Structures are given as structure tokens and as C-alpha cells.
Amino acid sequence: MDNMLTPRKIAAYLDEYIVGQQAAKKAVAVALRNRWRAAQLSPEIAREIIPKNILLIGPTGVGKTEIARRIALLTDAPFVKVEATKYTEVGYVGRDVESMVRDLVEEAVRLEKKKDAAAHGQDAEEAAIQKIGEIMWPTKKAETRNPMEIIFGGKAQEPQKEEDPGKAERRAYFLDRIRRGELDGRTIEIEVRDRSRVPGMGDNENVNQISQMLSAMMPKQTKKKKVTVRAAKKILTEEAAEDMVDMELVSDRAVQNAEEHGIIFIDEIDKVAGRRGAQGPDVSREGVQRDILPIVEGASVKTRYGMVKTDHILFIAAGAFHVSKPSDLIPELQGRFPIRVELQSLGREEFRRILTEPRQALIRQYQALLSAEGVDLTFTEDALDAVADIAARVNRETEDIGARRLYTILERVLEDISYEASDLAEKHVVIDAACVREKLGPVTNDLDASNYIL
């Protein structure tokens, strides 16, 4: 983590993507900075300082996942999002909780491979160009057995042929044309790795590990594929870079990165919070909590890249807690999430800001999509107000799904324009409040219909 990323700067970065929720931003900013502070201490002291895990409490669509995802991008840390409901208590069929750590290490390996491959970028690209050149202009003709060789055995002597003195120069010029992209439009047939033969990942961890071991032992399968030279350069460069990566070094760095900087986001933690002493499904939920507990407390998990310690992984859990309460979690697990932040429901003003303020603002996304068809889309101020008003009202009167309500509303408003965009004669389209009400009026007036449509 960059020492310039102070808590204030981290919060300011999150402000660019997430509206409101200042308490949650402050909590994660401090947690990240404390990681950097611990790294500056002596190993003896740093070893004793464990991350302060965070519990985010709030309804869906208010920014819980986005906060966790953005801080992972900011710090370039391995990050995985898991759902607590996907796991089952040990002894049942399904994913065991240790798989979240294995997923984190896989993500760390992917990041390290990407960095290592980028370092070999030029060499890999040149190897791909040479391979394409060999396909388009082979240096050796396919060998055919001489009849005398078949009769008497051995290899018949053939008369020596003089090398064409200009051949090397012509070949170099040909390869240079490939480098410059002059032949990008041509179609060639290349051999690529057949990744479809790699065993698929399922929910059974033992089966997954056996499948991975078998796939590593088996020779790499290839298949032929017809692509353009442009596509061939990309595919063969990636394969060449992958071959140049030292997987032993990558694995070591990935495990260290996961242990020291990894972030695991456990969503829907409230769904496994059951009443203590209850019967039926609540017993299984409590079992999942007890299985999660040692991972969060600090344990060693076996992965195909070696043992991984979870002591310094940052865990961020989140849940709506509409039915259950944080106190319904088992006491030991509650104690492992000392930082608790309640995120607020979004109202009209927040919806209005979400439409235009963040970097990934929804209006900008739709404008960019339609610009691909040459359509210049404009929303008037009163149209934005109308969308925000309707989103707030429907969330209040039906189910509160937070900012996700804006997606359904905008999709309905822009449905016809998106459908007809390629055929529009007038490429400048203005959406005003009257247009929004015309599209949504009948739905918003019928509460039953809005339950299904919006």
C-alpha cells in the first residue's frame, strides 16, 4: 500500500464512486491505514497486530459491496466476494468455508501472473510474431521420406542447395510488416491451448483438488483455430507470456500477498445468523458460523500453493439484518468483527446525486452506450428530479432495494430509444420530466404493478 494513501485520501477516493455513507468510508479507510502502519513496525510487534475486521449493516443497494471492491482496486490487493449462504456445515455436501481462502489465493496468483507476464510483454510479443511468421512463411518444408530411404533404410543424401542470398532480408521485411499491423486483416490457422479440457470447478473441494492435480499431470491439449493475424498476435502473446512466467516465484509472492494484503468480503452474513437454542435450519446456520470462526480468528489453510495463514487477512462482512440482528451471531464471531458500521437507506437526494456525480454515474453509462450508435442522449434537470422522485417513492412503498431501483427505472425509460437507436433519423435525443412520467406514470400509479415491473 502506498504511504501517501492517508485515511482522508482513501475516503476522498471512495467519494468519487459512492454517494454518502461517510461512516463506512471512514471505517475502511482507518482499517487500511492501520495495515500500512503495522507494516512499518518491527516483525515482532507487527505479528501481534491483527486487522480490525468490519461488519457493515444496511439494506441492499446502499454501497456495501462497492466500498469493499473499490478499496481492493485502490490498494491492488487480492479480493474475493463470497456469500455466506453458499457454505454448509462440515459433514454436508457443498462448499466448505476454507474454500474462500483458496479462492483468495487463486486471485492473488492471477494478479501476480498478470504482473509477471506484463514484465515479459515485449519478449512475448516478439515470440508471437515469430510464430505467426513461421505459419505464414514456413522456413522448412514438410519432410517427405525418400523412396531410397524406405528401401535401404537410413537417410538418402540429397544434393546441397545454395541459399538464396536475399531470402533473409525478405523474411525480415515480412516479419516487420506483421509488427506494423499491415497484415492484421489476413486469416491464418493457429494451434491454441484447449482450455475447455480443463476440469470444471464445482462445489466439492476434494473433487476440485483431484481435478487440478490430474490436469497438471496431463500434457497440454491444443486445438486448431482460424483467426485474423490481429487476434493471433493477442492470443499467442498471452500464451508466450504465460510460458515465460516462473510459477514457483509467482506462487510464493501470491501466498505472501494474500496473507498480508488479502481482503475477503463475506456478504449475506445475516442469513446464517440463527437464534441460539433453536431447532431445524437454525442449527445448520450456527454450524456455518462455527466453521467460519477459526478462519476469521486465524488459521492455516491448505491450498495447492502451500499453507496459507489467515491471521492478517482483512475480513469485511455485510448484511441487511432485517429479520435477525448482529447479536444473533454467535458471540465468538461477533467479537471478531469489532468495527460495526450502519449504512443509511438512500433517499431522493442521494438518488439524484447517484445519477450524475460518481465516476461511473448511470447517466454517463447510458450516454456512452448510445453514443456507439451515434445517438447524443441528454437528460434535463427536471427529468433527473423525476427519476429520483420515482425511485424514492417506489422504494418507500414497496421493497427497498437501494440504488438498484435506478437501473430498472432507467431501463424502462430508455427501452424504446435503445431498441430504435440504430434506426433513428434524429440522433439528438432529449429526455425531460414529461417523457419520464409518460413512460412510468401508469406503473407508478398501480402499486401492485410496480412491485413486479419496477
Side-chain angles (χ1 to χ4, degrees):
M1 177 177 168
D2 189 345
N3 65 344
M4 299 300 291
L5 284 177
T6 63
R8 197 178 299 278
K9 289 183 178 178
I10 294 171
Y13 167 80
L14 293 174
D15 284 338
E16 296 180 11
Y17 298 94
I18 302 148
V19 169
Q21 314 301 359
Q22 297 307 315
K25 293 172 183 175
K26 186 176 180 180
V28 297
V30 170
L32 284 183
R33 188 61 177 181
N34 281 340
R35 272 190 156 186
W36 176 85
R37 289 165 180 160
Q40 312 311 306
L41 305 176
S42 64
E44 293 77 14
I45 300 176
R47 195 179 302 120
E48 303 300 324
I49 300 176
I50 60 174
K52 303 301 185 290
N53 299 320
I54 304 168
L55 178 61
L56 301 177
I57 304 164
T60 184
V62 297
K64 301 188 297 294
T65 305
E66 189 68 8
I67 287 173
R69 191 169 68 87
R70 289 295 171 184
I71 62 172
L73 290 172
L74 176 65
T75 58
D76 198 23
F79 169 81
V80 292
K81 175 183 178 290
V82 300
E83 294 178 5
T85 52
K86 297 292 184 184
Y87 300 103
T88 59
E89 187 179 354
V90 169
Y92 292 85
V93 176
R95 302 203 78 189
D96 64 81
V97 295
E98 290 186 349
S99 65
M100 67 174 71
V101 181
R102 298 190 189 102
D103 291 343
L104 181 71
V105 177
E106 291 290 348
E107 175 63 14
V109 169
R110 187 191 69 80
L111 291 174
E112 291 297 332
K113 281 177 68 176
K114 186 177 179 181
K115 290 178 186 175
D116 219 27
H120 296 292
Q122 289 186 343
D123 294 336
E125 187 176 0
E126 183 58 29
I129 289 168
Q130 294 292 336
K131 196 166 185 178
I132 293 170
E134 184 64 29
I135 293 169
M136 299 182 74
W137 186 356
T139 54
K140 294 181 180 179
K141 292 183 179 180
E143 291 188 4
T144 55
R145 297 191 69 190
N146 190 296
M148 299 300 289
E149 179 185 348
I150 297 173
I151 297 171
F152 297 105
K155 196 163 180 102
Q157 293 293 323
E158 294 184 3
Q160 295 282 337
K161 293 183 180 178
E162 292 185 10
E163 286 291 329
D164 182 352
K167 185 176 181 180
E169 287 79 3
R170 291 198 302 274
R171 183 172 183 80
Y173 173 70
F174 176 71
L175 293 174
D176 200 40
R177 290 187 67 195
I178 297 175
R179 289 188 193 94
R180 293 196 301 266
E182 294 179 10
L183 306 178
D184 278 359
R186 294 196 185 181
T187 301
I188 60 172
E189 187 175 69
I190 61 174
E191 279 195 357
V192 297
R193 288 172 193 159
D194 189 359
R195 302 185 189 276
S196 64
R197 293 177 179 267
V198 178
M201 296 293 287
D203 283 336
N204 191 307
E205 294 298 325
N206 292 328
V207 172
N208 287 340
Q209 290 183 36
I210 293 171
S211 298
Q212 290 167 356
M213 289 169 56
L214 291 174
S215 64
M217 293 166 58
M218 294 185 337
K220 292 177 181 176
Q221 300 291 328
T222 61
K223 63 180 180 181
K224 291 187 176 181
K225 189 175 183 181
K226 287 188 176 181
V227 293
T228 62
V229 172
R230 181 186 293 106
K233 277 194 279 192
K234 184 175 184 296
I235 294 169
L236 296 177
T237 297
E238 289 175 357
E239 289 191 354
E242 192 175 319
D243 291 337
M244 293 174 184
V245 168
D246 185 336
M247 278 307 298
E248 188 173 347
L249 288 175
V250 164
S251 300
D252 291 343
R253 290 201 306 266
V255 168
Q256 183 181 1
N257 196 17
E259 288 180 337
E260 297 178 0
H261 305 107
I263 300 172
I264 295 180
F265 181 80
I266 307 175
D267 202 6
E268 297 187 355
I269 192 76
D270 57 316
K271 302 298 190 301
V272 296
R275 298 182 302 278
R276 288 189 294 280
Q279 302 295 321
D282 287 336
V283 177
S284 178
R285 291 178 191 144
E286 186 171 318
V288 174
Q289 292 182 62
R290 294 199 179 280
D291 287 347
I292 291 175
L293 180 60
I295 303 297
V296 179
E297 281 186 328
S300 294
V301 176
K302 186 177 181 181
T303 73
R304 62 176 176 145
Y305 302 103
M307 300 299 291
V308 176
K309 293 183 178 180
T310 65
D311 303 65
H312 291 87
I313 293 173
L314 176 63
F315 290 88
I316 302 176
F321 290 99
H322 288 314
V323 178
S324 58
K325 305 182 296 294
S327 58
D328 289 329
L329 295 168
I330 59 175
E332 300 91 334
L333 192 58
Q334 291 181 48
R336 301 310 297 178
F337 289 89
I339 302 175
R340 299 183 187 179
V341 184
E342 187 170 354
L343 285 81
Q344 303 302 314
S345 294
L346 302 175
R348 180 200 177 280
E349 292 305 316
E350 288 79 18
F351 287 137
R352 179 66 172 77
R353 293 173 59 197
I354 288 170
L355 288 170
T356 57
E357 287 186 15
R359 281 196 181 184
Q360 80 286 17
L362 292 180
I363 297 300
R364 291 179 194 164
Q365 292 182 31
Y366 282 102
Q367 287 173 333
L369 280 173
L370 290 173
S371 69
E373 301 273 11
V375 175
D376 178 22
L377 178 66
T378 301
F379 273 79
T380 63
E381 293 297 317
D382 60 351
L384 297 174
D385 291 337
V387 170
D389 285 336
I390 293 169
R393 179 190 161 196
V394 176
N395 267 1
R396 185 172 59 251
E397 296 179 357
T398 60
E399 193 73 26
D400 186 357
I401 60 172
R404 294 186 177 93
R405 184 72 65 188
L406 294 172
Y407 284 97
T408 57
I409 289 174
L410 288 175
E411 281 293 332
R412 189 162 183 84
V413 169
L414 298 173
E415 182 179 23
D416 291 338
I417 295 171
S418 296
Y419 182 78
E420 299 167 358
S422 55
D423 302 318
L424 287 175
E426 175 54 54
K427 293 294 186 179
H428 182 66
V429 177
V430 177
I431 304 293
D432 56 19
C435 178
V436 172
R437 293 193 186 95
E438 180 186 347
K439 294 288 185 183
L440 299 176
V443 179
T444 53
N445 290 333
D446 185 345
L447 191 60
D448 291 332
S450 64
N451 269 301
Y452 297 97
I453 298 175
L454 296 179

